[in-house]
Amino acid sequence: MTISQTQQEIILKLDKLNLTNPQLEADFLLSFVLKKPREWLLAHPEFKLTKFQILKIKNLVRQRIKGKSLALLTKKKEFYGLKFKVNKHVLVPRPETEMMVDVVLELITRNSQLTTIVDVGTGSGCIVIALAKKLKGGKFIAIDISRKALNMAKENAKFHNLHNIKFLQGNLMSPIIKELRVMSYELRVVICANLPYLTPNQLKDSPTIKFEPQDALVGGSDGLKYYRELFSQLKLLPNKNITVLCEIDHSQSEAIAKLVKKELPDFKIEIKKDLCGLERLVIIEIKK
Ligand SMILES: C[S@@+](CC[C@H](N)C(=O)[O-])C[C@H]1O[C@@H](n2cnc3c(N)ncnc32)[C@H](O)[C@@H]1O
């Protein structure tokens, strides 16, 4: 079977998924299996695939039809213009999370005071790695409860040639609270938290995410379990100047504002909308 015949067959099979651009998906899968760029495929429509390559493509298409994302099939995803490896132990980085990186970069540009950046629930490491690539100075700490997720994040940091990120395993900020010397008191701290925030019902209603780790997605019955615990941990940090950024589902904006008011002392809160106009990013400035 040639490249152009395989493309047609994949497009036909993917028809059930109602994709916006099945041609692009077919090319993406072919590029992945043949280890060639898309331009090469276009220039070689008559190239014949081996039996093994055809089997591999068929297997990928079967999994795609069952709802597995292209990122999980090819084990890679782009985030903030950078390549990240992903596996079944980490959440595939989402485009809406890029806004968190933008906001941190803005904050640092506005006030270039030396900053410790903590990425709590780092997963693939996409947030902290994107920040460490863009910022020259500062300290970077990445925390996750999952050892397997941390291993993926470390692999991604190595791939991006970054050796200035400290990786810690544990529950939210507890590895830092236990060992406060990893944090300099005089420094400003910026905490990036894209913690699991879906409710069990939201997970049930989204069949396409069933292949991603549940522990990375569900945040208790109201989705706010981890943010509740994070805010109560913040009182134990000695730093005087803390900014926390939390990604949320738009339905949680009122509840999280109430939670902040209840849990945190002197604070300023702002909620930013994503590109779809949905409230997505909570920015909390705490002055002790
Ligand atoms: C929604 S994913 C976000 C991953 C990554 N930051 C991103 O934006 O793509 C949440 C991450 O939090 C981690 N996590 C869940 N519970 C945690 C806890 N109690 N303490 C630290 N990390 C936790 C999960 O393992 C997962 O990697």
Side-chain angles (χ1 to χ4, degrees), residues 22-87:
Q23 170 85 52
L24 201 67
E25 290 228 1
D27 289 357
F28 199 82
L29 290 175
L30 267 164
S31 285
F32 174 66
V33 170
L34 299 180
K35 299 187 178 71
K36 299 277 186 204
R38 187 164 187 234
E39 302 74 58
W40 188 91
L41 303 179
L42 300 177
H44 300 84
E46 297 308 318
F47 178 87
K48 279 204 166 76
L49 277 78
T50 65
K51 270 191 185 152
F52 178 69
Q53 287 167 334
I54 294 170
L55 275 178
K56 220 167 155 186
I57 287 273
K58 282 190 172 160
N59 181 29
L60 289 172
V61 171
R62 219 174 294 126
Q63 294 186 66
R64 183 72 186 106
I65 291 167
K66 282 189 189 152
K68 221 176 200 181
S69 65
L70 277 183
L72 275 178
L73 290 177
T74 57
K75 299 194 172 26
K76 57 185 180 199
K77 178 77 184 174
E78 215 170 275
F79 178 84
Y80 219 79
L82 300 166
K83 288 195 173 77
F84 286 89
K85 280 196 197 172
V86 292
N87 61 19

Side-chain angles (χ1 to χ4, degrees), residues 28 172 214 269:
F28 199 82
L172 306 172
Q214 282 227 353
I269 183 169

Side-chain angles (χ1 to χ4, degrees), residues 91 93 97 121-123 126-127 144-146 170-172 194 196 215-216 226:
L91 187 90
T97 307
T122 194
C126 59
I127 299 170
D144 207 289
I145 198 147
S146 152
N171 178 34
L172 306 172
N194 181 15
D215 295 349
Y226 294 104

Side-chain angles (χ1 to χ4, degrees), residues 4-274:
S4 75
Q5 287 166 334
T6 318
Q7 275 166 331
Q8 291 320 308
E9 202 169 308
I10 302 176
I11 291 168
L12 254 170
K13 291 225 164 100
L14 293 182
D15 195 41
K16 302 180 188 138
L17 294 180
N18 271 333
L19 300 168
T20 37
N21 198 338
Q23 170 85 52
L24 201 67
E25 290 228 1
D27 289 357
F28 199 82
L29 290 175
L30 267 164
S31 285
F32 174 66
V33 170
L34 299 180
K35 299 187 178 71
K36 299 277 186 204
R38 187 164 187 234
E39 302 74 58
W40 188 91
L41 303 179
L42 300 177
H44 300 84
E46 297 308 318
F47 178 87
K48 279 204 166 76
L49 277 78
T50 65
K51 270 191 185 152
F52 178 69
Q53 287 167 334
I54 294 170
L55 275 178
K56 220 167 155 186
I57 287 273
K58 282 190 172 160
N59 181 29
L60 289 172
V61 171
R62 219 174 294 126
Q63 294 186 66
R64 183 72 186 106
I65 291 167
K66 282 189 189 152
K68 221 176 200 181
S69 65
L70 277 183
L72 275 178
L73 290 177
T74 57
K75 299 194 172 26
K76 57 185 180 199
K77 178 77 184 174
E78 215 170 275
F79 178 84
Y80 219 79
L82 300 166
K83 288 195 173 77
F84 286 89
K85 280 196 197 172
V86 292
N87 61 19
K88 62 179 181 192
H89 305 296
V90 299
L91 187 90
V92 173
R94 304 293 204 263
E96 57 269 26
T97 307
E98 293 185 352
M99 180 165 60
M100 190 179 287
V101 177
D102 280 336
V103 171
V104 176
L105 292 176
E106 246 174 68
L107 280 175
I108 308 272
T109 320
R110 232 186 295 141
N111 172 356
S112 58
Q113 179 190 356
L114 214 58
T115 305
T116 298
I117 292 176
V118 183
D119 179 15
V120 58
T122 194
S124 63
C126 59
I127 299 170
V128 72
I129 290 171
L131 287 167
K133 281 298 264 187
K134 293 277 167 193
L135 296 167
K136 293 281 167 276
K139 256 180 102 170
F140 300 92
I141 300 175
I143 302 171
D144 207 289
I145 198 147
S146 152
R147 166 67 54 200
K148 289 179 172 156
L150 270 186
N151 287 341
M152 184 82 278
K154 282 182 194 167
E155 209 178 311
N156 278 320
K158 203 167 157 198
F159 174 76
H160 286 290
N161 216 7
L162 291 168
H163 307 283
N164 55 345
I165 305 172
K166 198 172 177 74
F167 292 93
L168 302 171
Q169 187 190 12
N171 178 34
L172 306 172
M173 297 294 284
S174 61
I176 291 182
I177 293 163
K178 267 191 223 141
E179 209 190 322
L180 279 173
R181 68 195 156 81
V182 298
M183 189 100 103
S184 309
Y185 294 13
E186 72 279 9
L187 295 188
R188 170 174 64 170
V189 185
V190 173
I191 300 171
C192 300
N194 181 15
L195 289 165
Y197 58 73
L198 296 184
T199 64
N201 279 342
Q202 283 174 317
L203 187 75
K204 241 194 301 164
D205 295 343
S206 322
T208 50
I209 52 178
K210 67 176 181 242
F211 295 99
E212 296 192 68
Q214 282 227 353
D215 295 349
L217 290 161
V218 180
S221 56
D222 65 351
L224 294 175
K225 170 179 147 181
Y226 294 104
Y227 289 128
R228 203 169 280 119
E229 194 177 344
L230 175 73
F231 297 157
S232 71
Q233 286 185 348
L234 293 181
K235 296 173 205 152
L236 306 172
L237 285 182
N239 306 75
K240 298 256 175 283
N241 185 347
I242 304 175
T243 305
V244 192
L245 297 98
C246 306
E247 187 175 306
I248 54 160
D249 181 77
H250 64 97
S251 60
Q252 295 165 329
S253 56
E254 265 182 44
I256 202 155
K258 271 192 198 151
L259 192 61
V260 171
K261 206 168 167 185
K262 186 170 156 226
E263 292 287 344
L264 299 172
D266 200 8
F267 68 89
K268 227 170 82 190
I269 183 169
E270 185 191 347
I271 303 187
K272 275 195 182 284
K273 290 184 177 165
D274 63 18

